[in-house]
Amino acid sequence: MRLVIIGYGNMGQRYVNELMEEPLENVRIYGVQTGNSQKAANIIGKWPELKVFVTFQGVLQDPLVEGVLIATPNRFHFAMAKEALLKNKHVLVEKPAAISEDEIMELTNLSESCGLICEVMFQSRFDPLVKRMKELSGTLGRLQRFQWNNPQYYRDAAYFLEGSWSGTWVQDGGGILLNQAVHQIDLLDFLFGSPNELVSSISFGKYRNIEVDDEAFLILRYPNGLTGTFMTSFAEPLGKESVELVGENGRLEVVGNRLTCQLISGETFTETFDEPKQWEKNRHELIRNFELAARGSQQSQVPVAVNLRALMLIHGAWLSSWQRKWIHLPLQNEEYCEGFRQYMKEDSNK
């Protein structure tokens, strides 16, 4: 597959560096698209074999381009993904693939009607530790509760001054739940399925001078009786991720990269997952799946449709805090949109 990286910011540079330094079989970085002349010069200086595209239209008009990896700011994801699909290009897009449920559905339907692959970069699903959690959860019997603490996404005040779009509703689409902890939100679906109701306590601009969410606490209830809690925050410089999962036959605990499982049979064991550059390896696995799915050799494991469930949970959490009540899922998009309009109206009057 001849792949073009769209955008050469933080993530775009990572993708180029990772895939040029450790190439994947059957995946060739054909080029990079950036409208920044200095960045273009840097690419040519470091990777002279790559083609540099000044415009996105130039990428889509090149018949040799088979797929694009969109790594631009959130507000461009949907429009670019849609246009690429219409030009017969396979699409891999950074999370979130879009910032509305209608947009996710449109990309899903369009990719299916065009016979193309459209995937979202939820690389945590490929992490060996996560896969082991999913495997071991089956040994715990009926699951009763989980507690997921996710405070490792510390962002200082300067982070939100780097670009005029970061931390705003219009251009960023949301805060920590949508842009950082969305990986863990997606894993809630991957590990436990979809909850049927939730309640939340979320702060908007509590710790940072931003419009969007910077801290969130969620309680989730599932149809099978499972109850879970989830928290995340920008404001904990020493934050460390931890998960506790309890079932009728034992418990599982993950702190950092160490997993401990205790069963009522008396068996206890600990496993450590300390593979260097694991996040990079996870991205490689996802991109490998993307290429295989595009060739028809393997089913897509992260189709853009999975982003719909994560987005619905995030929207439900925001709505719960705005309206101070339990939210029943699946959430109707119209209900969320009306709640968002009311929140913005009230916020503008403060």
Side-chain angles (χ1 to χ4, degrees):
M1 172 184 282
R2 287 180 293 273
L3 186 67
V4 174
I5 309 299
I6 309 301
Y8 198 63
N10 181 42
M11 288 309 303
Q13 291 180 43
R14 286 189 188 182
Y15 288 126
V16 174
N17 290 338
E18 291 171 11
L19 290 169
M20 292 297 290
E21 293 169 2
E22 296 185 33
L24 282 171
E25 185 179 5
N26 298 321
V27 177
R28 173 191 168 196
I29 301 302
Y30 175 67
V32 182
Q33 186 264 311
T34 176
N36 185 300
S37 58
Q38 183 57 57
K39 289 181 178 180
N42 292 340
I43 296 167
I44 294 171
K46 188 173 183 179
W47 312 110
E49 64 270 42
L50 295 182
K51 185 172 182 177
V52 177
F53 295 88
V54 177
T55 67
F56 186 54
Q57 289 302 318
V59 176
L60 300 184
Q61 291 167 6
D62 190 326
L64 295 179
V65 177
E66 298 171 280
V68 296
L69 196 171
I70 299 171
T72 60
N74 295 348
R75 64 186 183 277
F76 301 121
H77 289 182
F78 167 71
M80 284 184 157
K82 178 180 178 178
E83 194 168 4
L85 290 170
L86 290 171
K87 293 295 185 179
N88 202 39
K89 313 295 185 186
H90 297 288
V91 174
L92 176 55
V93 60
E94 255 297 336
K95 50 73 186 171
I99 57 177
S100 83
E101 294 168 27
D102 288 344
E103 290 173 345
I104 297 291
M105 287 305 303
E106 186 171 351
L107 292 179
T108 299
N109 295 334
L110 181 59
S111 61
E112 291 176 354
S113 65
C114 294
L116 296 166
I117 298 299
C118 184
E119 291 191 345
V120 59
M121 186 58 77
F122 280 153
Q123 71 266 18
S124 294
R125 291 187 175 217
F126 295 82
D127 194 290
L129 173 56
V130 172
K131 291 181 178 179
R132 186 61 168 150
M133 288 173 62
K134 189 173 181 67
E135 177 186 359
L136 289 174
S137 66
T139 69
L140 300 181
R142 185 174 64 87
L143 299 180
Q144 299 170 346
R145 68 173 178 87
F146 68 81
Q147 180 174 312
W148 197 314
N149 294 322
N150 180 52
Q152 83 272 26
Y153 290 120
Y154 176 74
R155 299 290 186 270
D156 61 16
Y159 173 86
F160 297 99
L161 300 176
E162 293 177 0
S164 59
W165 58 273
S166 187
T168 65
W169 286 113
V170 172
Q171 300 194 69
D172 212 7
I176 192 168
L177 286 175
L178 186 70
N179 291 298
Q180 285 79 26
V182 66
H183 287 293
Q184 286 72 25
I185 294 293
D186 173 62
L187 290 181
L188 293 178
D189 177 71
F190 180 66
L191 293 169
F192 309 122
S194 299
N196 59 345
E197 59 180 351
L198 65 83
V199 70
S200 70
S201 175
I202 300 177
S203 63
F204 301 86
K206 177 180 179 182
Y207 296 105
R208 302 291 178 257
N209 186 25
I210 57 178
E211 299 174 359
V212 294
D213 46 307
D214 56 6
E215 182 181 71
F217 297 84
L218 282 62
I219 300 176
L220 309 142
R221 290 177 178 166
Y222 292 78
N224 60 1
L226 174 66
T227 299
T229 63
F230 178 84
M231 72 78 57
T232 189
S233 175
F234 278 146
E236 300 186 22
L238 301 178
K240 180 179 288 188
E241 186 174 22
S242 65
V243 182
E244 181 186 27
L245 176 58
V246 176
E248 59 184 352
N249 295 332
R251 65 185 293 274
L252 183 153
E253 182 180 56
V254 177
V255 179
N257 62 359
R258 184 181 296 269
L259 180 152
T260 300
C261 185
Q262 297 174 298
L263 302 175
I264 58 174
S265 63
E267 180 183 5
T268 300
F269 57 89
T270 298
E271 299 174 3
T272 302
F273 298 77
D274 56 0
E275 183 72 20
K277 297 183 178 180
Q278 187 60 62
W279 272 67
E280 288 86 343
K281 295 179 187 297
N282 296 343
R283 284 194 285 266
H284 265 58
E285 284 300 308
L286 193 155
I287 294 169
R288 181 179 287 110
N289 168 255
F290 174 65
E291 187 273 330
L292 289 170
R295 279 200 286 132
S297 300
Q298 182 173 304
Q299 186 175 1
S300 175
Q301 296 184 41
V302 280
V304 69
V306 303
N307 204 160
L308 182 64
R309 297 193 291 273
L311 192 60
M312 186 180 297
L313 196 153
I314 292 166
H315 285 174
W318 289 339
L319 188 63
S320 173
S321 281
W322 296 334
Q323 298 185 348
R324 299 180 181 272
K325 68 177 185 179
W326 283 90
I327 299 296
H328 297 282
L329 302 175
L331 178 66
Q332 296 300 312
N333 190 48
E334 295 77 10
E335 182 183 357
Y336 166 72
C337 291
E338 178 57 33
F340 179 70
R341 284 191 292 268
Q342 186 62 35
Y343 169 74
M344 293 299 288
K345 179 180 179 180
E346 294 173 356
D347 190 59
S348 66
N349 292 330
K350 289 181 181 178

Coordinates of all heavy atoms in Angstrom, one line a residue, residues 229-293:
T229 N -16.6 2.3 37.7 CA -16.3 3.8 37.8 C -15.1 4.1 36.9 O -14.2 3.2 36.8 CB -16.0 4.1 39.3 OG1 -14.8 3.4 39.7 CG2 -17.2 3.8 40.2
F230 N -15.1 5.3 36.4 CA -14.0 5.7 35.6 C -13.7 7.2 35.9 O -14.6 8.0 36.0 CB -14.3 5.6 34.1 CG -13.3 6.0 33.1 CD1 -12.2 5.2 32.8 CD2 -13.3 7.3 32.6 CE1 -11.2 5.6 31.9 CE2 -12.3 7.8 31.7 CZ -11.3 6.9 31.4
M231 N -12.4 7.5 36.0 CA -12.0 8.9 36.3 C -10.8 9.2 35.4 O -10.0 8.3 35.0 CB -11.6 9.1 37.7 CG -10.3 8.6 38.3 SD -8.8 9.4 37.8 CE -9.1 11.1 38.5
T232 N -10.7 10.5 35.0 CA -9.5 11.0 34.3 C -9.3 12.5 34.6 O -10.3 13.2 34.9 CB -9.7 10.7 32.8 OG1 -8.4 11.0 32.1 CG2 -10.8 11.5 32.2
S233 N -8.1 12.9 34.5 CA -7.8 14.3 34.8 C -6.5 14.8 34.1 O -5.6 14.1 33.9 CB -7.6 14.5 36.3 OG -7.2 15.8 36.7
F234 N -6.6 16.1 33.8 CA -5.4 16.8 33.3 C -4.4 17.3 34.4 O -3.3 17.7 34.1 CB -5.8 18.1 32.5 CG -6.2 17.9 31.1 CD1 -7.2 18.7 30.5 CD2 -5.7 16.9 30.3 CE1 -7.7 18.5 29.2 CE2 -6.1 16.7 29.0 CZ -7.1 17.5 28.4
A235 N -4.9 17.3 35.6 CA -4.3 18.1 36.7 C -3.4 17.3 37.6 O -3.0 17.8 38.7 CB -5.3 18.8 37.5
E236 N -3.0 16.0 37.3 CA -2.2 15.2 38.3 C -0.9 14.9 37.7 O -0.7 13.9 36.9 CB -3.0 14.0 38.7 CG -4.3 14.2 39.3 CD -5.0 13.0 39.9 OE1 -4.3 11.9 40.1 OE2 -6.2 13.0 40.0
P237 N 0.2 15.7 38.0 CA 1.5 15.5 37.4 C 2.1 14.2 37.7 O 3.0 13.7 37.0 CB 2.3 16.7 38.0 CG 1.6 17.1 39.2 CD 0.2 16.8 38.9
L238 N 1.7 13.5 38.8 CA 2.3 12.2 39.2 C 1.2 11.1 39.0 O 1.4 10.0 39.6 CB 2.7 12.2 40.7 CG 3.8 13.3 41.0 CD1 4.1 13.2 42.5 CD2 5.0 13.1 40.2
G239 N 0.2 11.3 38.2 CA -0.8 10.4 38.0 C -0.4 9.1 37.4 O 0.5 9.1 36.5
K240 N -0.9 8.0 37.8 CA -0.6 6.7 37.3 C -1.9 5.9 37.1 O -2.8 5.8 37.9 CB 0.3 5.9 38.2 CG 0.7 4.5 37.7 CD 1.6 3.7 38.7 CE 3.0 4.4 38.7 NZ 4.0 3.5 39.5
E241 N -2.0 5.3 35.9 CA -3.2 4.5 35.6 C -3.3 3.2 36.4 O -2.3 2.5 36.6 CB -3.2 4.2 34.1 CG -4.5 3.5 33.6 CD -4.5 3.4 32.1 OE1 -3.4 3.3 31.5 OE2 -5.6 3.2 31.5
S242 N -4.5 2.9 36.8 CA -4.7 1.6 37.5 C -6.1 1.1 37.2 O -7.1 1.9 37.0 CB -4.5 1.8 39.0 OG -5.5 2.7 39.6
V243 N -6.3 -0.2 37.2 CA -7.6 -0.8 36.9 C -7.8 -2.0 37.9 O -6.8 -2.7 38.2 CB -7.7 -1.4 35.5 CG1 -9.0 -2.0 35.3 CG2 -7.3 -0.4 34.5
E244 N -8.9 -2.0 38.5 CA -9.3 -3.2 39.4 C -10.6 -3.8 38.8 O -11.6 -3.0 38.6 CB -9.5 -2.8 40.8 CG -9.9 -4.0 41.7 CD -10.2 -3.5 43.1 OE1 -10.7 -2.4 43.3 OE2 -10.1 -4.4 44.1
L245 N -10.6 -5.1 38.6 CA -11.8 -5.7 38.0 C -12.1 -6.9 38.9 O -11.2 -7.8 39.2 CB -11.5 -6.2 36.6 CG -12.6 -7.1 35.9 CD1 -13.9 -6.3 35.8 CD2 -12.1 -7.5 34.5
V246 N -13.4 -7.0 39.4 CA -13.8 -8.0 40.4 C -14.9 -8.8 39.8 O -15.9 -8.3 39.3 CB -14.2 -7.3 41.7 CG1 -14.7 -8.4 42.7 CG2 -13.1 -6.5 42.3
G247 N -14.7 -10.1 39.9 CA -15.8 -11.1 39.5 C -16.1 -12.0 40.6 O -15.4 -12.0 41.7
E248 N -17.0 -12.9 40.4 CA -17.4 -13.8 41.5 C -16.4 -14.9 41.8 O -16.4 -15.5 42.9 CB -18.7 -14.6 41.1 CG -18.6 -15.3 39.8 CD -20.0 -16.0 39.4 OE1 -20.9 -15.9 40.2 OE2 -20.1 -16.5 38.3
N249 N -15.4 -15.0 40.9 CA -14.3 -16.0 41.1 C -13.0 -15.4 41.4 O -12.0 -16.2 41.5 CB -14.2 -16.9 39.8 CG -15.4 -17.8 39.6 OD1 -16.2 -18.1 40.5 ND2 -15.7 -18.1 38.3
G250 N -12.9 -14.1 41.5 CA -11.6 -13.5 41.8 C -11.5 -12.1 41.4 O -12.5 -11.4 41.1
R251 N -10.3 -11.6 41.3 CA -10.1 -10.2 41.0 C -8.8 -10.0 40.1 O -7.9 -10.8 40.2 CB -10.0 -9.3 42.2 CG -8.7 -9.6 43.1 CD -8.7 -8.8 44.4 NE -8.6 -7.3 44.1 CZ -7.4 -6.8 44.0 NH1 -6.3 -7.5 44.1 NH2 -7.3 -5.5 43.8
L252 N -8.8 -9.0 39.4 CA -7.7 -8.6 38.5 C -7.3 -7.2 38.8 O -8.2 -6.3 38.8 CB -8.1 -8.9 37.1 CG -7.0 -8.7 35.9 CD1 -7.4 -9.5 34.8 CD2 -7.0 -7.2 35.5
E253 N -6.0 -6.9 38.9 CA -5.5 -5.6 39.2 C -4.4 -5.2 38.2 O -3.5 -6.0 38.0 CB -5.1 -5.4 40.6 CG -4.6 -4.0 40.9 CD -4.1 -3.9 42.4 OE1 -3.2 -4.6 42.8 OE2 -4.7 -3.0 43.1
V254 N -4.5 -4.0 37.6 CA -3.4 -3.6 36.7 C -2.9 -2.2 37.3 O -3.8 -1.3 37.4 CB -3.9 -3.4 35.3 CG1 -2.8 -2.8 34.4 CG2 -4.3 -4.8 34.7
V255 N -1.6 -2.1 37.5 CA -1.1 -0.8 37.9 C 0.2 -0.6 37.0 O 1.1 -1.4 37.0 CB -0.6 -0.8 39.4 CG1 0.0 0.6 39.7 CG2 -1.8 -1.1 40.3
G256 N 0.1 0.4 36.2 CA 1.2 0.6 35.3 C 1.2 -0.5 34.3 O 0.2 -0.8 33.6
N257 N 2.3 -1.2 34.2 CA 2.5 -2.3 33.3 C 2.5 -3.7 34.0 O 2.9 -4.7 33.4 CB 3.8 -2.1 32.4 CG 5.0 -2.2 33.3 OD1 4.9 -2.3 34.5 ND2 6.2 -2.1 32.7
R258 N 2.0 -3.7 35.2 CA 2.0 -4.9 36.0 C 0.6 -5.4 36.2 O -0.3 -4.6 36.7 CB 2.7 -4.7 37.3 CG 2.8 -6.0 38.2 CD 3.6 -5.7 39.5 NE 4.9 -5.3 39.2 CZ 6.0 -6.1 39.2 NH1 5.8 -7.4 39.4 NH2 7.2 -5.7 39.0
L259 N 0.3 -6.6 35.9 CA -1.0 -7.2 36.1 C -0.9 -8.3 37.1 O -0.1 -9.2 37.1 CB -1.5 -7.8 34.7 CG -2.8 -8.5 34.7 CD1 -3.4 -8.4 33.3 CD2 -2.8 -10.0 35.1
T260 N -1.9 -8.3 38.1 CA -2.0 -9.3 39.1 C -3.4 -9.9 39.1 O -4.4 -9.2 39.1 CB -1.7 -8.7 40.5 OG1 -0.4 -8.2 40.5 CG2 -1.8 -9.8 41.6
C261 N -3.4 -11.2 39.1 CA -4.7 -11.9 39.1 C -4.8 -12.8 40.3 O -3.9 -13.6 40.6 CB -4.9 -12.8 37.8 SG -6.5 -13.6 37.7
Q262 N -5.9 -12.7 41.1 CA -6.1 -13.6 42.3 C -7.4 -14.3 42.1 O -8.4 -13.7 41.8 CB -6.1 -12.7 43.6 CG -4.8 -12.0 43.9 CD -5.0 -11.1 45.1 OE1 -5.8 -10.1 45.0 NE2 -4.3 -11.3 46.1
L263 N -7.4 -15.6 42.3 CA -8.6 -16.4 42.1 C -9.0 -17.0 43.5 O -8.2 -17.3 44.3 CB -8.4 -17.5 41.1 CG -8.0 -17.0 39.7 CD1 -7.7 -18.2 38.8 CD2 -9.1 -16.1 39.1
I264 N -10.3 -17.3 43.7 CA -10.8 -17.9 44.9 C -10.2 -19.3 45.1 O -10.3 -19.8 46.3 CB -12.3 -17.8 45.1 CG1 -12.9 -18.6 43.9 CG2 -12.8 -16.4 45.1 CD1 -14.4 -18.7 44.0
S265 N -9.7 -19.9 44.1 CA -9.1 -21.2 44.2 C -7.8 -21.2 44.9 O -7.3 -22.2 45.3 CB -8.9 -21.8 42.8 OG -8.0 -21.0 42.1
G266 N -7.3 -20.0 45.1 CA -6.0 -19.8 45.8 C -4.9 -19.4 44.9 O -3.8 -19.1 45.3
E267 N -5.1 -19.6 43.6 CA -4.1 -19.3 42.6 C -3.9 -17.8 42.5 O -4.9 -17.0 42.4 CB -4.5 -19.8 41.2 CG -3.5 -19.6 40.1 CD -3.9 -20.1 38.8 OE1 -5.1 -20.5 38.6 OE2 -3.1 -19.9 37.8
T268 N -2.7 -17.3 42.5 CA -2.3 -15.9 42.3 C -1.1 -15.8 41.4 O -0.1 -16.6 41.6 CB -2.0 -15.2 43.7 OG1 -3.1 -15.3 44.5 CG2 -1.6 -13.8 43.5
F269 N -1.1 -14.9 40.5 CA 0.0 -14.8 39.6 C 0.1 -13.3 39.1 O -0.9 -12.6 39.1 CB 0.0 -15.7 38.4 CG -1.2 -15.6 37.5 CD1 -1.3 -14.7 36.5 CD2 -2.3 -16.4 37.8 CE1 -2.4 -14.6 35.7 CE2 -3.5 -16.3 37.0 CZ -3.5 -15.4 35.9
T270 N 1.4 -12.9 38.8 CA 1.6 -11.6 38.3 C 2.4 -11.6 37.0 O 3.3 -12.5 36.9 CB 2.5 -10.8 39.4 OG1 1.7 -10.7 40.6 CG2 2.8 -9.4 38.9
E271 N 2.0 -10.8 36.1 CA 2.7 -10.7 34.8 C 3.0 -9.2 34.6 O 2.3 -8.3 34.9 CB 1.7 -11.2 33.7 CG 1.3 -12.6 33.9 CD 0.3 -13.1 32.8 OE1 0.0 -12.3 32.0 OE2 -0.1 -14.3 32.9
T272 N 4.2 -9.0 34.0 CA 4.7 -7.7 33.7 C 4.9 -7.5 32.2 O 5.4 -8.4 31.5 CB 6.1 -7.4 34.4 OG1 5.9 -7.6 35.8 CG2 6.5 -6.0 34.1
F273 N 4.4 -6.4 31.7 CA 4.4 -6.1 30.3 C 5.3 -4.8 30.1 O 4.8 -3.7 30.2 CB 3.0 -5.8 29.7 CG 2.1 -7.0 29.9 CD1 1.5 -7.4 31.1 CD2 1.9 -7.8 28.7 CE1 0.7 -8.5 31.2 CE2 1.0 -8.9 28.8 CZ 0.5 -9.3 30.1
D274 N 6.6 -5.0 29.9 CA 7.5 -3.9 29.8 C 8.2 -3.8 28.5 O 9.4 -3.5 28.4 CB 8.5 -4.0 31.0 CG 9.3 -5.3 31.0 OD1 9.0 -6.2 30.1 OD2 10.1 -5.5 31.9
E275 N 7.5 -4.2 27.4 CA 8.1 -4.1 26.1 C 8.4 -2.7 25.7 O 7.5 -1.8 25.8 CB 7.2 -4.7 25.1 CG 7.7 -4.7 23.6 CD 8.8 -5.8 23.4 OE1 8.8 -6.7 24.2 OE2 9.5 -5.7 22.5
P276 N 9.7 -2.3 25.4 CA 10.0 -0.9 25.0 C 9.2 -0.5 23.8 O 8.9 -1.2 22.9 CB 11.5 -1.0 24.6 CG 12.0 -2.2 25.3 CD 10.8 -3.2 25.3
K277 N 8.8 0.8 23.8 CA 8.0 1.4 22.7 C 6.7 0.7 22.4 O 6.4 0.5 21.2 CB 8.9 1.5 21.5 CG 10.1 2.4 21.7 CD 10.9 2.6 20.4 CE 12.1 3.5 20.5 NZ 12.9 3.6 19.2
Q278 N 6.0 0.2 23.4 CA 4.8 -0.6 23.2 C 3.8 0.2 22.4 O 3.1 -0.4 21.5 CB 4.2 -1.1 24.5 CG 3.1 -2.1 24.3 CD 3.5 -3.3 23.5 OE1 4.4 -4.1 23.9 NE2 2.9 -3.5 22.4
W279 N 3.6 1.5 22.7 CA 2.6 2.3 21.9 C 2.9 2.3 20.5 O 2.0 2.2 19.6 CB 2.5 3.7 22.5 CG 1.5 3.8 23.6 CD1 1.7 3.2 24.9 CD2 0.3 4.5 23.6 NE1 0.6 3.5 25.6 CE2 -0.3 4.3 24.9 CE3 -0.4 5.2 22.7 CZ2 -1.5 4.8 25.3 CZ3 -1.6 5.8 23.0 CH2 -2.2 5.5 24.3
E280 N 4.2 2.4 20.1 CA 4.6 2.4 18.7 C 4.3 1.1 18.1 O 3.8 1.0 16.9 CB 6.1 2.7 18.6 CG 6.5 4.2 18.9 CD 6.7 4.4 20.4 OE1 6.3 3.6 21.2 OE2 7.3 5.5 20.7
K281 N 4.6 0.0 18.8 CA 4.3 -1.3 18.3 C 2.8 -1.5 18.1 O 2.3 -2.2 17.1 CB 4.8 -2.4 19.3 CG 6.3 -2.4 19.4 CD 6.8 -3.4 20.4 CE 8.3 -3.3 20.6 NZ 9.1 -3.6 19.4
N282 N 2.0 -1.0 19.0 CA 0.5 -1.1 18.9 C 0.1 -0.3 17.6 O -0.8 -0.8 16.9 CB -0.2 -0.4 20.1 CG 0.1 -1.2 21.4 OD1 0.5 -2.3 21.4 ND2 -0.2 -0.5 22.5
R283 N 0.6 0.8 17.3 CA 0.3 1.6 16.1 C 0.7 0.8 14.9 O 0.0 0.7 13.9 CB 1.0 3.0 16.1 CG 0.3 4.0 17.0 CD 0.8 5.4 16.8 NE 2.1 5.6 17.3 CZ 2.4 6.1 18.5 NH1 1.4 6.4 19.3 NH2 3.6 6.3 18.9
H284 N 1.9 0.1 14.9 CA 2.3 -0.7 13.8 C 1.3 -1.8 13.6 O 1.0 -2.1 12.4 CB 3.7 -1.3 14.1 CG 4.8 -0.5 13.5 ND1 5.0 0.8 13.8 CD2 5.8 -0.8 12.6 CE1 6.1 1.3 13.2 NE2 6.6 0.3 12.5
E285 N 0.8 -2.4 14.6 CA -0.1 -3.5 14.5 C -1.4 -3.1 13.9 O -2.0 -3.7 13.0 CB -0.4 -4.2 15.8 CG 0.7 -5.1 16.3 CD 0.9 -6.3 15.3 OE1 0.0 -7.0 15.0 OE2 2.1 -6.4 14.9
L286 N -1.9 -1.9 14.3 CA -3.1 -1.4 13.7 C -2.9 -1.0 12.2 O -3.8 -1.3 11.4 CB -3.6 -0.1 14.5 CG -5.0 0.4 14.2 CD1 -5.5 1.2 15.4 CD2 -5.1 1.3 13.0
I287 N -1.8 -0.4 11.9 CA -1.6 -0.1 10.5 C -1.4 -1.3 9.6 O -1.9 -1.4 8.5 CB -0.3 0.8 10.3 CG1 -0.6 2.2 11.0 CG2 0.0 1.1 8.9 CD1 0.6 3.1 11.2
R288 N -0.8 -2.4 10.2 CA -0.7 -3.7 9.5 C -2.1 -4.2 9.2 O -2.4 -4.7 8.2 CB 0.1 -4.7 10.3 CG 0.2 -6.0 9.6 CD 1.1 -7.0 10.5 NE 2.5 -6.6 10.4 CZ 3.2 -6.1 11.4 NH1 2.5 -5.9 12.6 NH2 4.4 -5.8 11.3
N289 N -3.0 -4.1 10.2 CA -4.4 -4.6 10.1 C -5.1 -3.8 9.0 O -5.9 -4.3 8.2 CB -5.2 -4.5 11.4 CG -6.7 -4.7 11.2 OD1 -7.5 -3.7 11.2 ND2 -7.1 -5.9 10.9
F290 N -4.9 -2.4 9.0 CA -5.4 -1.6 8.0 C -5.1 -2.0 6.6 O -5.9 -2.1 5.7 CB -5.0 -0.1 8.3 CG -5.4 0.9 7.2 CD1 -6.7 1.2 7.0 CD2 -4.4 1.5 6.5 CE1 -7.1 2.2 6.1 CE2 -4.7 2.5 5.6 CZ -6.1 2.8 5.4
E291 N -3.8 -2.3 6.4 CA -3.3 -2.7 5.0 C -3.9 -4.1 4.6 O -4.4 -4.3 3.5 CB -1.8 -2.8 5.0 CG -1.2 -3.0 3.7 CD -1.0 -4.5 3.3 OE1 -0.9 -5.3 4.3 OE2 -1.1 -4.9 2.1
L292 N -3.9 -5.0 5.6 CA -4.5 -6.3 5.3 C -6.0 -6.3 5.0 O -6.5 -6.9 4.1 CB -4.3 -7.3 6.5 CG -2.8 -7.7 6.7 CD1 -2.7 -8.5 8.0 CD2 -2.3 -8.6 5.6
A293 N -6.7 -5.4 5.7 CA -8.1 -5.2 5.5 C -8.4 -4.6 4.1 O -9.3 -5.0 3.4 CB -8.8 -4.4 6.6

